[in-house]
Amino acid sequence: MNKIFLIIQREFLNRVQKKSFLIATILLPLIFPTIIAIMVYAAKEQEEGANSEVIHFVDESGLFNPEDIKRFELKRFNGNIEDAKTAFSNSDDFGLLHIPKINLSHPSGVTLYTKINPSPNDINDLESKIESQIKEAKMIKFNIDQRILDSLKTDISIRSINLSKSGQEKSSDSKVLFGIGMIGGILIYIFIFVYGAQIMQGVIEEKTSKVVEVIVSSVRPFQLMLGKILGLASVGLLQFLIWIVLITSVSSIVLGYFGFDMPQQEMMDQMATQPGYNSDFMDVMQTVNEMPVFFIVSSFIFYFLGGYLLYGALFAAVGSAVDSPAEAQQFIFPITIPMLISYFALFTFILDNPHSTISIWLSIIPFTSPIAMMGRIGFGVPPIQLVASIVCLIGGFVFTTWVASRIYRIGILMHGSKVSYKVLVKWFMMKS
Amino acid sequence: MNQLVVENVTKRYANHTALDNVSLSVPDQSIYGLLGPNGAGKTTLIRIINQIIDANEGTILVNGEKLSPHHIALIGYLPEERGLYKKLKVGEQLIYLARLRGLSKSDALVRIKHWIEKFEIKDWWDKKIEDLSKGMAQKIQFISTVLHEPKLIILDEPFSGFDPVNANLIRDEILELREKGSTIIFSTHRMETVEELCDHIALINKSKKILEGAKKEVKAKYRTNTFIVEHKGDFSLEGEHYKHISHRNLDDGYLETQIRIKSSRNANQLIQDLVGATEIHGFKEKIPSMNEIFIQLVNGGSDE
């Protein structure tokens, strides 16, 4: 036991003392928000500063009101469409919109001619513009008063409240829960891959530098493997902890800065023009406040560790079997399949439908549960499912560690042999 | 008293038997040569003694006790394939390896200091292994092998990779360790090392032990009653009692003839017969070298 601790300590120090650890740990949480901020800023600048492009339009229906939309300046072209096409092809302008005489009940035939393919956003903008104008034309045709029209405009946001048996009301905002599930799932996915690869690399290094023979004459191969896995887990936890501290402090500084800096008038205007803003924001804050933060963080740590231990052992076994990372590819692939499945499932249906049968099963099967359960955890998981998932994950990593250690003990002493799955099975079956 | 006893050890793999009922006795404070051609099973045996792998059958006694994990602290092991953590500094590396062998950090520091002063390598402390030459790294590995003052030191090809100066240094250290009470097992192909250092040997061939004993006795056993005669002038004693094995001219005009005694005659009688036949300038018994015994046994074994 004492020796496992020595190995854990050594692995921990090896990684933490490296410059790359310091850089990754401190810069990464700063780099991502910075990149996002720069991109948002650049996009905004572009939107504001860009010269608006010209779209000429030929309106044969007489319904279209030449009002500019976003980045487009709309210019009426007086004349028929053929002339307009000729004029357009000789110009540097963005596009030519042709609105033929249309039947109000079945409008069709609106065409946009461009030289480069327009983006879906541009098309959407134009479509909604035309749609709203046709709608207005219809209203007028049906003699509906403008005031009635205005009062028809509604903006609804549903506030959902979980009513527990004891009668307590808990507000929940599914967008926040969605975000928590997504971030948790992605983080676990990345952590398992990054740290799993590091375990594998470490094992390959020990094997190829031949130092492993000296080490396993002092400790059992199982102790070496477990020490390495746990050592890296402690590095991962430390890194994660530093990130949480950094991100919370950086984001609170940033939020504080913007909150303080934003002119009162502008803020008031914004709220006035967006009637939903205030209550939306309040809802989000309320959901965050009422969320069992401790429960979610501890579930994250449990599923992070569980998933890491489960896959880490497999990565260690792969590392022990091969002589170079290139050789490892063929064995890595099947390990990553359940990870990929749960990752894609997270985005395709778990987050949208966290209580479906398949979501439940994916969150119980230990190979997929670390990511799948993170997707579900915020939405509330029945205790029985949670217990089943936890028990299966613990059983899962005990099982993979056992399988991996049987391959590892033989693999680390084998050099230059061509390894196939058949060979791995043989090693697994071999009596020590 | 035997430091190490191996009793009827058998190790089987799926397709072959690596060790077949091997028994050895390694006396206290001996330098014991474990010999054998490549693939004979030496490394397997060494790994079993180091508890890296387990034997299928048989027992191993260290200091009279059945081999168990606490013996790790009593054994020092230098594998044939040398290896250290490339990125780790010399000092950290030695401390780590010593602690894995059961030494406390403070004890390790004291002993490491002693060794690096002895080898005059104090300024290597903060160097990474990857920045050292191969010979330098070997020295560090040798230190790590003996740092915990093991009673039983197992050295697999200890001199490979050392230049003659450092090889001598290591040889002197080995002799000194033996003086201090350690028992040393050598696994090697280099017969000149065996001739020079070992006092006991065992020969393993094709998974089986085919020879074991004190070097002197082994050599005596393989005496062929052959004598080397330096003389002037041709002669022949071929007949009932003697057989000429070889004959060659020496540089200074003398001749050398090797004669084997076939009958019960002894060396004195051979000299008497020679005196009448030729002018003798030199006479000595031909004692087989370890190399010859090795080749004879290994090749002989392959015919069976």
Side-chain angles (χ1 to χ4, degrees), chain B residues 10-13 16-20 22 39-42 44-45 204 206-208:
Chain B
T10 298
K11 175 72 186 176
R12 280 182 222 97
Y13 289 111
H16 72 290
T17 305
L19 288 173
D20 187 2
V22 170
K42 288 174 301 185
T44 304
L45 180 60
I204 294 179
K206 297 192 174 166
S207 321
K208 289 188 172 124

Side-chain angles (χ1 to χ4, degrees), chain A residues 75 120 131 193 235 262 277 321 385 393:
Chain A
K75 280 190 184 156
E131 269 166 21
F193 264 122
V235 176
M262 199 180 274
Y277 175 81
Q385 290 175 17
L393 186 55

Side-chain angles (χ1 to χ4, degrees), chain A residues 236-367:
Chain A
L237 278 180
L238 175 72
Q239 194 163 45
F240 183 65
L241 209 74
I242 295 176
W243 282 353
I244 288 184
V245 171
L246 271 183
I247 288 174
T248 18
S249 46
V250 167
S251 53
S252 61
I253 289 169
V254 168
L255 281 181
Y257 176 78
F258 278 122
F260 182 75
D261 215 11
M262 199 180 274
Q264 287 295 311
Q265 188 56 43
E266 198 182 311
M267 208 152 148
M268 295 295 282
D269 286 350
Q270 215 172 0
M271 285 183 180
T273 50
Q274 292 179 302
Y277 175 81
N278 200 17
S279 61
D280 264 355
F281 184 72
M282 293 309 288
D283 274 353
V284 169
M285 290 317 291
Q286 201 166 358
T287 310
V288 171
N289 276 340
E290 287 178 9
M291 226 159 40
V293 175
F294 177 75
F295 171 69
I296 287 183
V297 170
S298 41
S299 326
F300 175 82
I301 290 174
F302 173 78
Y303 281 99
F304 158 63
L305 279 180
Y308 165 83
L309 291 175
L310 184 135
Y311 282 101
L314 295 178
F315 276 105
V318 170
S320 75
V322 300
D323 288 321
S324 70
E327 254 179 273
Q329 282 312 319
Q330 53 162 333
F331 300 114
I332 291 294
F333 181 63
I335 295 179
T336 57
I337 286 178
M339 292 267 288
L340 287 172
I341 289 175
S342 47
Y343 187 71
F344 285 116
L346 181 71
F347 286 100
T348 45
F349 53 82
I350 292 174
L351 286 169
D352 290 330
N353 207 343
H355 305 300
S356 69
T357 314
I358 184 150
S359 302
I360 291 170
W361 277 111
L362 285 179
S363 68
I364 290 176
I365 297 167
F367 286 89

Side-chain angles (χ1 to χ4, degrees), chain B residues 65-215:
Chain B
E65 302 163 13
K66 204 160 179 269
L67 187 67
S68 71
H70 77 264
H71 287 127
I72 284 170
L74 294 183
I75 301 177
Y77 174 38
L78 182 73
E80 181 175 8
E81 301 269 19
R82 308 294 149 75
L84 296 166
Y85 286 101
K86 291 196 174 77
K87 305 268 177 202
L88 214 53
K89 288 172 184 165
V90 168
E92 285 175 326
Q93 182 123 232
L94 286 172
I95 293 173
Y96 179 53
L97 294 175
R99 291 184 76 188
L100 284 182
R101 283 280 177 184
L103 231 53
S104 75
K105 193 172 178 180
S106 49
D107 281 354
L109 271 170
V110 171
R111 293 189 195 176
I112 292 167
K113 230 180 131 189
H114 164 77
W115 277 99
I116 61 174
E117 270 166 18
K118 194 167 185 180
F119 279 8
E120 295 169 349
I121 51 174
K122 258 188 187 164
D123 47 337
W124 293 5
W125 185 265
D126 269 331
K127 280 191 182 160
K128 287 181 182 170
I129 293 295
E130 61 184 356
D131 299 329
L132 299 182
S133 73
K134 201 179 159 203
M136 290 156 102
Q138 296 247 37
K139 270 190 188 174
I140 302 297
Q141 186 142 21
F142 181 79
I143 294 175
S144 81
T145 306
V146 297
L147 201 58
H148 53 292
E149 294 175 3
K151 291 288 288 173
L152 178 63
I153 303 171
I154 301 173
L155 307 171
D156 204 343
E157 293 293 352
F159 299 112
S160 70
F162 280 116
D163 60 52
V165 176
N166 281 319
N168 270 344
L169 184 75
I170 297 299
R171 194 200 57 202
D172 293 345
E173 289 308 327
I174 291 171
L175 290 172
E176 199 181 320
L177 285 162
R178 195 256 298 264
E179 286 311 306
K180 284 182 182 164
S182 296
T183 304
I184 291 133
I185 297 179
F186 258 15
S187 161
T188 186
H189 308 296
R190 304 210 339 201
M191 290 303 149
E192 65 272 35
T193 315
V194 180
E195 293 281 4
E196 187 189 346
L197 288 175
C198 296
D199 37 41
H200 284 72
I201 60 145
L203 180 57
I204 294 179
N205 189 32
K206 297 192 174 166
S207 321
K208 289 188 172 124
K209 182 186 80 178
I210 54 176
L211 176 71
E212 186 188 15
K215 185 173 71 180

Side-chain angles (χ1 to χ4, degrees), chain A residues 3 206 209 213 217-218, chain B residues 47 77 81 83 85 100-101:
Chain A
K3 286 181 178 176
E206 274 175 354
S209 73
E213 179 132 8
S217 70
S218 303
Chain B
R47 282 180 173 171
Y77 174 38
E81 301 269 19
Y85 286 101
L100 284 182
R101 283 280 177 184

Side-chain angles (χ1 to χ4, degrees), chain A residues 102-110 130 134 138:
Chain A
I102 44 178
N103 178 350
L104 270 188
S105 44
H106 301 288
S108 66
V110 177
I130 298 169
I134 290 175
K138 280 183 182 173

